[in-house]
Amino acid sequence: MKKVGLASLALACLLAACVRISEGVPVAGETPRGAATPSATTVPTQQGEPSTFGVVPTTRAPVPPSTVACSQTIKPSVRMTAEVDDPHAPRITVGVPDKWSMTAGNGDVGGKLDGPGDMQATVTIALTQLEPAAAFRKYTDDLMAESAVSSVSVLPGQLCGYSGQKLMGAWSDTPQNAVEYQDRIVHIWTNSGNNYLVAVHVQAPTGTPGFDAAAALLTEDFEIVLP
């Protein structure tokens, strides 16, 4: 069974999988981290389709090469710049938690990070033909497909005038294999006219010490440099 927190108060069955919808609060999976099951009666209603949360008008005007389109107000002491082979793709710089290691990625993965307790993170920079809402919906659907029992909560996460979302959830085929994750996804237009979906994905076995702090640092506002 897939349980989805998608920020509106409704229950629906889509494609024979029962979907639970809530106001941007992670819906507990089979092994919740000490949180009570959310009650629909205590959650304020947010109008609109969840895939549109965080979708904002984006200025699509050429800028000089190597323009810093979004900078980090407070720069972390350790940072990693992720980039892919596509010369038109943006470069993304994220903060790195203490005691984490960094490696280059390949393909659409611009960088990988590994932390204590089997914590992992990836920065993906993928060309997309989809507009923000459709790109966000596809990304969320792909997350849900990772496990037979999964949950996700969607919150607005726009960044420097670009459409974006914050995702939180869990996969749990069995209690022993339960995994929690947090994501920050941003839809970025570049000078070439191409759109890119940037995703910072962080995951760890459920209950891993330090996960919340590490995920918060990795998914906070990141630096965007346009080629």
Side-chain angles (χ1 to χ4, degrees):
M1 179 180 290
K2 296 186 183 299
K3 300 179 181 179
V4 185
L6 292 175
S8 66
L9 299 178
L11 293 177
C13 285
L14 302 176
L15 301 179
C18 189
V19 177
R20 182 173 183 174
I21 303 173
S22 69
E23 165 74 14
V25 177
V27 176
E30 298 300 316
T31 55
R33 299 184 66 221
T37 301
S39 171
T41 60
T42 62
V43 177
T45 301
Q46 181 168 345
Q47 299 297 323
E49 163 62 34
S51 63
T52 67
F53 294 172
V55 174
V56 296
T58 299
T59 300
R60 302 189 176 189
V63 296
S66 299
T67 292
V68 178
C70 190
S71 61
Q72 294 170 300
T73 304
I74 301 176
K75 290 182 171 57
S77 56
V78 179
R79 303 197 300 163
M80 182 193 78
T81 297
E83 54 187 319
V84 294
D85 288 338
D86 183 347
H88 302 299
R91 298 191 300 275
I92 306 300
T93 299
V94 300
V96 179
D98 188 35
K99 298 180 181 179
W100 281 60
S101 61
M102 301 167 279
T103 58
N106 54 71
D108 290 338
V109 177
K112 299 179 180 179
L113 304 97
D114 291 284
D118 291 330
M119 291 188 282
Q120 301 174 0
T122 56
V123 181
T124 303
I125 306 168
L127 179 68
T128 179
Q129 302 300 322
L130 301 175
E131 290 301 307
F136 296 162
R137 167 59 69 182
K138 181 180 185 304
Y139 185 89
T140 302
D141 288 346
D142 289 344
L143 275 181
M144 294 296 289
E146 289 287 336
S147 173
V149 180
S150 55
S151 67
V152 66
S153 175
V154 181
L155 294 170
Q158 56 265 38
L159 177 61
C160 296
Y162 296 108
S163 299
Q165 293 185 342
K166 295 181 180 180
L167 310 177
M168 296 170 284
W171 301 313
S172 181
D173 288 331
T174 67
Q176 294 75 22
N177 294 326
V179 172
E180 58 184 328
Y181 63 82
Q182 292 188 31
D183 289 65
R184 181 72 177 274
I185 55 178
V186 180
H187 190 275
I188 300 173
W189 179 88
T190 63
N191 283 336
S192 65
N194 292 340
N195 293 312
Y196 293 84
L197 185 67
V198 171
V200 180
H201 172 82
V202 191
Q203 69 177 61
T206 298
T208 299
F211 173 76
D212 288 339
L217 175 61
L218 285 158
T219 61
E220 71 180 3
D221 293 355
F222 47 73
E223 182 178 280
I224 301 171
V225 177
L226 300 180

